[in-house]
Amino acid sequence: MKGKKSSVSARRKIMTSGVLIGIGVMALVDEIIFHQLLQWHHFFDFDTTQFGIFSDGLLNSFALFAIVAGIFLFAHVVRIHTYSTVRWAAGLFLGMGAFQLFDGIVSHKVLRIHQIRYNVDLLPYDIAWISSAILLLAIGGFLWYRVRKNDPAVQGD
């Protein structure tokens, strides 16, 4: 191969790689800190402790799959195309924020499969959880905007 090429596909793939790794990293952070170290909850809390631990294993498996898929996609892009580390970082923050927001709204409030903690006032925890998601999304959005404004005018990106 003579040289690396730049394309809309490479920009999408590097962003997707960052998003996948971000989702996986945030899922592992949630799992390790809140499920294992602090033992505040399990992925599914409405059954036995054994099922809760099993469901945590499923979340770990999902996180590992997302990270490995993101790494393979990253390796593919790096080998063939030029890429922007800022675009990748934007995807990483957007993925982390999206996971955090999904977990905080869908898992905690809509589906009620678990709460952050039990037997405490949830409002401060919910505010911190959702605020951290919004902060991560804002950082990712800012980075994505910054890299997009420097892109050549290409339709569909």
Side-chain angles (χ1 to χ4, degrees), residues 1 5 9 14 35 43 45-46 59-60 85 127-128 130 135:
M1 177 176 248
K5 55 187 176 179
S9 174
I14 201 68
H35 297 217
F43 186 59
D45 272 340
F46 47 74
L59 180 60
N60 278 332
T85 55
I127 290 170
I130 300 302
L135 177 63

Side-chain angles (χ1 to χ4, degrees), residues 33-88:
I33 293 174
F34 298 102
H35 297 217
Q36 294 175 0
L37 295 176
L38 296 174
Q39 298 180 9
W40 285 358
H41 62 258
H42 295 291
F43 186 59
F44 286 106
D45 272 340
F46 47 74
D47 208 348
T48 65
T49 301
Q50 289 172 319
F51 185 76
I53 293 170
F54 172 76
S55 69
D56 286 348
L58 293 176
L59 180 60
N60 278 332
S61 299
F62 165 77
L64 182 60
F65 176 78
I67 289 170
V68 169
I71 289 170
F72 273 98
L73 190 55
F74 181 83
H76 168 72
V77 172
V78 169
R79 188 172 55 84
I80 298 173
H81 302 281
T82 60
Y83 69 98
S84 165
T85 55
V86 175
R87 184 180 299 276
W88 183 82

Side-chain angles (χ1 to χ4, degrees), residues 82-156:
T82 60
Y83 69 98
S84 165
T85 55
V86 175
R87 184 180 299 276
W88 183 82
L92 185 72
F93 279 100
L94 289 170
M96 290 189 302
F99 177 85
Q100 191 78 346
L101 190 64
F102 179 86
D103 188 37
I105 293 176
V106 176
S107 297
H108 297 174
K109 299 303 167 199
V110 175
L111 298 178
R112 296 187 166 281
I113 60 176
H114 67 262
Q115 293 299 320
I116 299 171
R117 290 195 69 182
Y118 293 95
N119 303 319
V120 297
D121 179 16
L122 287 176
L123 185 61
Y125 292 96
D126 288 337
I127 290 170
W129 202 270
I130 300 302
S131 297
S132 67
I134 292 169
L135 177 63
L136 291 166
L137 287 169
I139 293 168
F142 170 76
L143 292 173
W144 185 62
Y145 171 77
R146 195 172 126 216
V147 76
R148 286 259 318 174
K149 75 177 187 173
N150 295 325
D151 277 348
V154 178
Q155 291 293 335

